[in-house]
Amino acid sequence: MQNIYILGIESSCDDTSASILCNNHMLSNVIANQAVHTEFGGVVPELASRAHQQNIIPVIDTALKKAGINKKELNAIAFTRGPGLLGSLLVGTSFAKAFSLGLEIPIVEIDHMQGHILSHFIQNEEGNKLIPEFPFLCLTVSGGHTQIVLIRDYFEMEVIGQTIDDAAGEAFDKIAKIMSLPYPGGPFVDKFAKEGNPLAFTFPKPSIQGLDFSFSGLKTSFLYFLRDRLKEDADFIEKHKADLCASIQYSIISVLMDKLTKAVKKTGIKQVAIAGGVSANSGLRNAILKMQENSGWTVFIPEFQFTTDNAAMIAIAGYFKYQRGEFAGQSAIPYSRGASKQKK
Ligand code: KG4
Ligand code: ZN
């Protein structure tokens, strides 16, 4: 069988990433994080697109060098078309188009959220990694999305539950901001939570019907709780940082796990994956592993490098589309929102 080399490009938010895959094996995955946003406590779209513009060529060049291949060996270029920040997506999309014209190879457009899910299909070097079989469920939790997706085939995905307000990662980040932790706050909450008691403080659970999620109430009750405590003790956050992080993390994970359990019961599907930035969270990883031990689920937990945004997930999705001959035209333009694109 002839080897297929795919270049994946991811530029939907604030990470510029390029990855080379040989079939379903990863040869390189280079990610340039943008430090420029830290002082603003969030991503500044205008600065993000400028940083992508600066990073994209060196990142792709490094990905090719690390993979040890020449650009002329590439079979196709896969790029994130959406959802994400338009100015950021335009950089990756335009670069992919220009590069494909120069190399005379096709381009493949990828939905970012489908990429997160399909990262589970990147095989390890030994070729012995357990890969999900269809159908399976995936809890896709990132800074912009929180979804439960039923995956029937590589590109046959149905969103069966989603957030009606904030995403889980957004909830982590906003809560961290309230505690004056750096941006993005999710990894800091996770770090401090390891030293704390998850039952030290309780926060009201949102009561949303069905498989949908809501996190804005949790964030507000955390804010009011702290406002009251800070009136009595100005050092409350500093003194109780670990317990606060552990308790709020526990609350977020409980919401996620309750809905995921409901989805398993409703669909009868016990193969369950997690994906997206929040799937790096140690509490969530432990909670889903427990379901494997206690409830007979077969769970799929991504390697850390495939949790937050990366181009390897775009390249693997590109590999599957390449095999189907599904190529994009030069007129393909980015989209900022795209839950409907999940259904194909
Ligand atoms: O998938 P991702 O890199 O970007 C989007 O597509 O949004 O996800 C980023 C999100 C951020 O909100 C970040 O705080 C969160 O993932 N995150 C975490 C952890 N690592 C990243 N949240 C909780 N615990 C973590 N360890
Ligand atoms: Zn993402």
Side-chain angles (χ1 to χ4, degrees), residues 15-39:
D15 296 311
T16 320
S17 180
S19 168
I20 311 285
L21 254 61
C22 174
N23 304 323
N24 59 349
H25 291 266
M26 193 183 80
L27 302 181
S28 65
N29 185 32
V30 179
I31 304 170
N33 303 116
Q34 301 180 357
V36 65
H37 308 287
T38 317
E39 64 176 296

PDB file of all heavy atoms in Angstrom, residues 15-39:
ATOM      1  N   ASP A  15      -3.821  28.915  19.069  1.00  0.00           N
ATOM      2  CA  ASP A  15      -2.674  28.031  18.880  1.00  0.00           C
ATOM      3  C   ASP A  15      -2.452  27.849  17.384  1.00  0.00           C
ATOM      4  O   ASP A  15      -3.385  27.501  16.662  1.00  0.00           O
ATOM      5  CB  ASP A  15      -2.929  26.639  19.488  1.00  0.00           C
ATOM      6  CG  ASP A  15      -3.096  26.694  20.989  1.00  0.00           C
ATOM      7  OD1 ASP A  15      -2.247  27.314  21.651  1.00  0.00           O
ATOM      8  OD2 ASP A  15      -4.077  26.116  21.497  1.00  0.00           O
ATOM      9  N   THR A  16      -1.197  28.084  16.946  1.00  0.00           N
ATOM     10  CA  THR A  16      -0.875  27.797  15.545  1.00  0.00           C
ATOM     11  C   THR A  16      -0.223  26.425  15.545  1.00  0.00           C
ATOM     12  O   THR A  16       0.799  26.228  16.207  1.00  0.00           O
ATOM     13  CB  THR A  16       0.135  28.822  14.976  1.00  0.00           C
ATOM     14  OG1 THR A  16      -0.202  30.117  15.454  1.00  0.00           O
ATOM     15  CG2 THR A  16       0.166  28.792  13.464  1.00  0.00           C
ATOM     16  N   SER A  17      -0.800  25.497  14.816  1.00  0.00           N
ATOM     17  CA  SER A  17      -0.245  24.141  14.868  1.00  0.00           C
ATOM     18  C   SER A  17      -0.187  23.518  13.471  1.00  0.00           C
ATOM     19  O   SER A  17      -1.055  23.756  12.626  1.00  0.00           O
ATOM     20  CB  SER A  17      -1.096  23.280  15.801  1.00  0.00           C
ATOM     21  OG  SER A  17      -0.583  21.970  15.863  1.00  0.00           O
ATOM     22  N   ALA A  18       0.858  22.717  13.266  1.00  0.00           N
ATOM     23  CA  ALA A  18       1.013  21.965  12.025  1.00  0.00           C
ATOM     24  C   ALA A  18       1.470  20.559  12.375  1.00  0.00           C
ATOM     25  O   ALA A  18       2.261  20.373  13.308  1.00  0.00           O
ATOM     26  CB  ALA A  18       2.028  22.630  11.105  1.00  0.00           C
ATOM     27  N   SER A  19       0.966  19.586  11.646  1.00  0.00           N
ATOM     28  CA  SER A  19       1.296  18.191  11.941  1.00  0.00           C
ATOM     29  C   SER A  19       1.401  17.415  10.645  1.00  0.00           C
ATOM     30  O   SER A  19       0.686  17.696   9.676  1.00  0.00           O
ATOM     31  CB  SER A  19       0.192  17.596  12.821  1.00  0.00           C
ATOM     32  OG  SER A  19       0.314  16.192  12.908  1.00  0.00           O
ATOM     33  N   ILE A  20       2.307  16.443  10.641  1.00  0.00           N
ATOM     34  CA  ILE A  20       2.417  15.560   9.470  1.00  0.00           C
ATOM     35  C   ILE A  20       2.051  14.148   9.917  1.00  0.00           C
ATOM     36  O   ILE A  20       2.580  13.654  10.925  1.00  0.00           O
ATOM     37  CB  ILE A  20       3.857  15.522   8.895  1.00  0.00           C
ATOM     38  CG1 ILE A  20       4.439  16.928   8.704  1.00  0.00           C
ATOM     39  CG2 ILE A  20       3.891  14.691   7.600  1.00  0.00           C
ATOM     40  CD1 ILE A  20       3.944  17.723   7.552  1.00  0.00           C
ATOM     41  N   LEU A  21       1.171  13.529   9.164  1.00  0.00           N
ATOM     42  CA  LEU A  21       0.821  12.131   9.410  1.00  0.00           C
ATOM     43  C   LEU A  21       1.240  11.293   8.212  1.00  0.00           C
ATOM     44  O   LEU A  21       1.121  11.752   7.064  1.00  0.00           O
ATOM     45  CB  LEU A  21      -0.698  11.992   9.583  1.00  0.00           C
ATOM     46  CG  LEU A  21      -1.222  11.752  11.003  1.00  0.00           C
ATOM     47  CD1 LEU A  21      -0.861  12.887  11.916  1.00  0.00           C
ATOM     48  CD2 LEU A  21      -2.728  11.550  10.991  1.00  0.00           C
ATOM     49  N   CYS A  22       1.720  10.084   8.488  1.00  0.00           N
ATOM     50  CA  CYS A  22       1.899   9.098   7.424  1.00  0.00           C
ATOM     51  C   CYS A  22       0.799   8.071   7.681  1.00  0.00           C
ATOM     52  O   CYS A  22       0.832   7.393   8.717  1.00  0.00           O
ATOM     53  CB  CYS A  22       3.286   8.459   7.508  1.00  0.00           C
ATOM     54  SG  CYS A  22       3.475   7.113   6.335  1.00  0.00           S
ATOM     55  N   ASN A  23      -0.165   7.989   6.815  1.00  0.00           N
ATOM     56  CA  ASN A  23      -1.388   7.205   7.049  1.00  0.00           C
ATOM     57  C   ASN A  23      -1.970   7.621   8.398  1.00  0.00           C
ATOM     58  O   ASN A  23      -2.151   8.799   8.631  1.00  0.00           O
ATOM     59  CB  ASN A  23      -1.101   5.710   6.944  1.00  0.00           C
ATOM     60  CG  ASN A  23      -0.477   5.369   5.592  1.00  0.00           C
ATOM     61  OD1 ASN A  23      -0.850   5.962   4.580  1.00  0.00           O
ATOM     62  ND2 ASN A  23       0.475   4.454   5.566  1.00  0.00           N
ATOM     63  N   ASN A  24      -2.208   6.662   9.314  1.00  0.00           N
ATOM     64  CA  ASN A  24      -2.789   7.063  10.599  1.00  0.00           C
ATOM     65  C   ASN A  24      -1.735   7.200  11.707  1.00  0.00           C
ATOM     66  O   ASN A  24      -2.057   7.217  12.891  1.00  0.00           O
ATOM     67  CB  ASN A  24      -3.906   6.086  11.027  1.00  0.00           C
ATOM     68  CG  ASN A  24      -3.391   4.664  11.166  1.00  0.00           C
ATOM     69  OD1 ASN A  24      -2.274   4.361  10.752  1.00  0.00           O
ATOM     70  ND2 ASN A  24      -4.193   3.793  11.737  1.00  0.00           N
ATOM     71  N   HIS A  25      -0.465   7.314  11.323  1.00  0.00           N
ATOM     72  CA  HIS A  25       0.622   7.482  12.289  1.00  0.00           C
ATOM     73  C   HIS A  25       1.127   8.918  12.275  1.00  0.00           C
ATOM     74  O   HIS A  25       1.334   9.488  11.207  1.00  0.00           O
ATOM     75  CB  HIS A  25       1.801   6.558  11.969  1.00  0.00           C
ATOM     76  CG  HIS A  25       1.478   5.131  12.201  1.00  0.00           C
ATOM     77  ND1 HIS A  25       1.763   4.481  13.376  1.00  0.00           N
ATOM     78  CD2 HIS A  25       0.849   4.227  11.406  1.00  0.00           C
ATOM     79  CE1 HIS A  25       1.339   3.228  13.295  1.00  0.00           C
ATOM     80  NE2 HIS A  25       0.778   3.051  12.111  1.00  0.00           N
ATOM     81  N   MET A  26       1.393   9.448  13.463  1.00  0.00           N
ATOM     82  CA  MET A  26       1.855  10.831  13.521  1.00  0.00           C
ATOM     83  C   MET A  26       3.380  10.910  13.408  1.00  0.00           C
ATOM     84  O   MET A  26       4.093  10.207  14.116  1.00  0.00           O
ATOM     85  CB  MET A  26       1.415  11.418  14.870  1.00  0.00           C
ATOM     86  CG  MET A  26       1.561  12.909  14.940  1.00  0.00           C
ATOM     87  SD  MET A  26       1.113  13.456  16.583  1.00  0.00           S
ATOM     88  CE  MET A  26       2.631  13.076  17.452  1.00  0.00           C
ATOM     89  N   LEU A  27       3.853  11.756  12.515  1.00  0.00           N
ATOM     90  CA  LEU A  27       5.302  11.952  12.393  1.00  0.00           C
ATOM     91  C   LEU A  27       5.750  13.203  13.139  1.00  0.00           C
ATOM     92  O   LEU A  27       6.865  13.273  13.636  1.00  0.00           O
ATOM     93  CB  LEU A  27       5.695  12.064  10.908  1.00  0.00           C
ATOM     94  CG  LEU A  27       5.335  10.884   9.999  1.00  0.00           C
ATOM     95  CD1 LEU A  27       5.815  11.152   8.577  1.00  0.00           C
ATOM     96  CD2 LEU A  27       5.932   9.578  10.528  1.00  0.00           C
ATOM     97  N   SER A  28       4.883  14.214  13.175  1.00  0.00           N
ATOM     98  CA  SER A  28       5.224  15.431  13.917  1.00  0.00           C
ATOM     99  C   SER A  28       3.942  16.174  14.274  1.00  0.00           C
ATOM    100  O   SER A  28       2.913  16.018  13.610  1.00  0.00           O
ATOM    101  CB  SER A  28       6.136  16.336  13.082  1.00  0.00           C
ATOM    102  OG  SER A  28       5.443  16.796  11.936  1.00  0.00           O
ATOM    103  N   ASN A  29       4.036  16.973  15.331  1.00  0.00           N
ATOM    104  CA  ASN A  29       2.877  17.772  15.775  1.00  0.00           C
ATOM    105  C   ASN A  29       3.452  18.989  16.500  1.00  0.00           C
ATOM    106  O   ASN A  29       3.850  18.905  17.647  1.00  0.00           O
ATOM    107  CB  ASN A  29       2.014  16.927  16.724  1.00  0.00           C
ATOM    108  CG  ASN A  29       0.732  17.632  17.128  1.00  0.00           C
ATOM    109  OD1 ASN A  29       0.160  18.408  16.358  1.00  0.00           O
ATOM    110  ND2 ASN A  29       0.278  17.368  18.349  1.00  0.00           N
ATOM    111  N   VAL A  30       3.531  20.105  15.793  1.00  0.00           N
ATOM    112  CA  VAL A  30       4.188  21.299  16.334  1.00  0.00           C
ATOM    113  C   VAL A  30       3.119  22.322  16.713  1.00  0.00           C
ATOM    114  O   VAL A  30       2.218  22.601  15.915  1.00  0.00           O
ATOM    115  CB  VAL A  30       5.160  21.897  15.285  1.00  0.00           C
ATOM    116  CG1 VAL A  30       5.830  23.155  15.811  1.00  0.00           C
ATOM    117  CG2 VAL A  30       6.198  20.861  14.879  1.00  0.00           C
ATOM    118  N   ILE A  31       3.221  22.847  17.920  1.00  0.00           N
ATOM    119  CA  ILE A  31       2.210  23.813  18.385  1.00  0.00           C
ATOM    120  C   ILE A  31       2.914  25.071  18.900  1.00  0.00           C
ATOM    121  O   ILE A  31       3.792  24.978  19.761  1.00  0.00           O
ATOM    122  CB  ILE A  31       1.341  23.223  19.518  1.00  0.00           C
ATOM    123  CG1 ILE A  31       0.672  21.913  19.070  1.00  0.00           C
ATOM    124  CG2 ILE A  31       0.268  24.233  19.968  1.00  0.00           C
ATOM    125  CD1 ILE A  31      -0.012  21.136  20.171  1.00  0.00           C
ATOM    126  N   ALA A  32       2.538  26.231  18.345  1.00  0.00           N
ATOM    127  CA  ALA A  32       3.053  27.508  18.870  1.00  0.00           C
ATOM    128  C   ALA A  32       1.926  28.177  19.648  1.00  0.00           C
ATOM    129  O   ALA A  32       0.898  28.550  19.072  1.00  0.00           O
ATOM    130  CB  ALA A  32       3.502  28.400  17.722  1.00  0.00           C
ATOM    131  N   ASN A  33       2.081  28.263  20.964  1.00  0.00           N
ATOM    132  CA  ASN A  33       1.078  28.952  21.789  1.00  0.00           C
ATOM    133  C   ASN A  33       1.336  30.440  21.705  1.00  0.00           C
ATOM    134  O   ASN A  33       2.465  30.871  21.526  1.00  0.00           O
ATOM    135  CB  ASN A  33       1.170  28.506  23.254  1.00  0.00           C
ATOM    136  CG  ASN A  33       1.009  27.011  23.401  1.00  0.00           C
ATOM    137  OD1 ASN A  33       1.933  26.339  23.823  1.00  0.00           O
ATOM    138  ND2 ASN A  33      -0.128  26.501  23.025  1.00  0.00           N
ATOM    139  N   GLN A  34       0.261  31.220  21.846  1.00  0.00           N
ATOM    140  CA  GLN A  34       0.412  32.672  21.739  1.00  0.00           C
ATOM    141  C   GLN A  34       0.391  33.314  23.119  1.00  0.00           C
ATOM    142  O   GLN A  34      -0.675  33.496  23.716  1.00  0.00           O
ATOM    143  CB  GLN A  34      -0.713  33.233  20.873  1.00  0.00           C
ATOM    144  CG  GLN A  34      -0.729  32.632  19.464  1.00  0.00           C
ATOM    145  CD  GLN A  34      -1.841  33.203  18.606  1.00  0.00           C
ATOM    146  OE1 GLN A  34      -2.638  34.002  19.063  1.00  0.00           O
ATOM    147  NE2 GLN A  34      -1.877  32.794  17.349  1.00  0.00           N
ATOM    148  N   ALA A  35       1.562  33.689  23.608  1.00  0.00           N
ATOM    149  CA  ALA A  35       1.671  34.286  24.946  1.00  0.00           C
ATOM    150  C   ALA A  35       1.054  35.684  24.995  1.00  0.00           C
ATOM    151  O   ALA A  35       0.717  36.190  26.067  1.00  0.00           O
ATOM    152  CB  ALA A  35       3.139  34.351  25.352  1.00  0.00           C
ATOM    153  N   VAL A  36       0.852  36.274  23.821  1.00  0.00           N
ATOM    154  CA  VAL A  36       0.412  37.663  23.719  1.00  0.00           C
ATOM    155  C   VAL A  36      -0.927  37.923  24.438  1.00  0.00           C
ATOM    156  O   VAL A  36      -1.206  39.038  24.865  1.00  0.00           O
ATOM    157  CB  VAL A  36       0.339  38.067  22.220  1.00  0.00           C
ATOM    158  CG1 VAL A  36      -0.717  37.288  21.469  1.00  0.00           C
ATOM    159  CG2 VAL A  36       0.108  39.540  22.052  1.00  0.00           C
ATOM    160  N   HIS A  37      -1.750  36.861  24.646  1.00  0.00           N
ATOM    161  CA  HIS A  37      -3.079  37.064  25.241  1.00  0.00           C
ATOM    162  C   HIS A  37      -3.082  37.064  26.764  1.00  0.00           C
ATOM    163  O   HIS A  37      -4.056  37.513  27.372  1.00  0.00           O
ATOM    164  CB  HIS A  37      -4.042  35.981  24.750  1.00  0.00           C
ATOM    165  CG  HIS A  37      -4.060  35.845  23.263  1.00  0.00           C
ATOM    166  ND1 HIS A  37      -4.661  36.778  22.450  1.00  0.00           N
ATOM    167  CD2 HIS A  37      -3.518  34.914  22.436  1.00  0.00           C
ATOM    168  CE1 HIS A  37      -4.496  36.411  21.183  1.00  0.00           C
ATOM    169  NE2 HIS A  37      -3.805  35.292  21.153  1.00  0.00           N
ATOM    170  N   THR A  38      -2.022  36.539  27.365  1.00  0.00           N
ATOM    171  CA  THR A  38      -2.013  36.327  28.820  1.00  0.00           C
ATOM    172  C   THR A  38      -2.371  37.588  29.589  1.00  0.00           C
ATOM    173  O   THR A  38      -3.208  37.546  30.491  1.00  0.00           O
ATOM    174  CB  THR A  38      -0.618  35.817  29.262  1.00  0.00           C
ATOM    175  OG1 THR A  38      -0.213  34.840  28.316  1.00  0.00           O
ATOM    176  CG2 THR A  38      -0.671  35.204  30.644  1.00  0.00           C
ATOM    177  N   GLU A  39      -1.764  38.707  29.221  1.00  0.00           N
ATOM    178  CA  GLU A  39      -1.988  39.929  30.000  1.00  0.00           C
ATOM    179  C   GLU A  39      -3.416  40.462  29.875  1.00  0.00           C
ATOM    180  O   GLU A  39      -3.854  41.280  30.679  1.00  0.00           O
ATOM    181  CB  GLU A  39      -0.981  41.013  29.611  1.00  0.00           C
ATOM    182  CG  GLU A  39      -1.118  41.469  28.180  1.00  0.00           C
ATOM    183  CD  GLU A  39      -0.166  42.616  27.836  1.00  0.00           C
ATOM    184  OE1 GLU A  39      -0.317  43.693  28.430  1.00  0.00           O
ATOM    185  OE2 GLU A  39       0.724  42.404  26.987  1.00  0.00           O
TER     186      GLU A  39
END
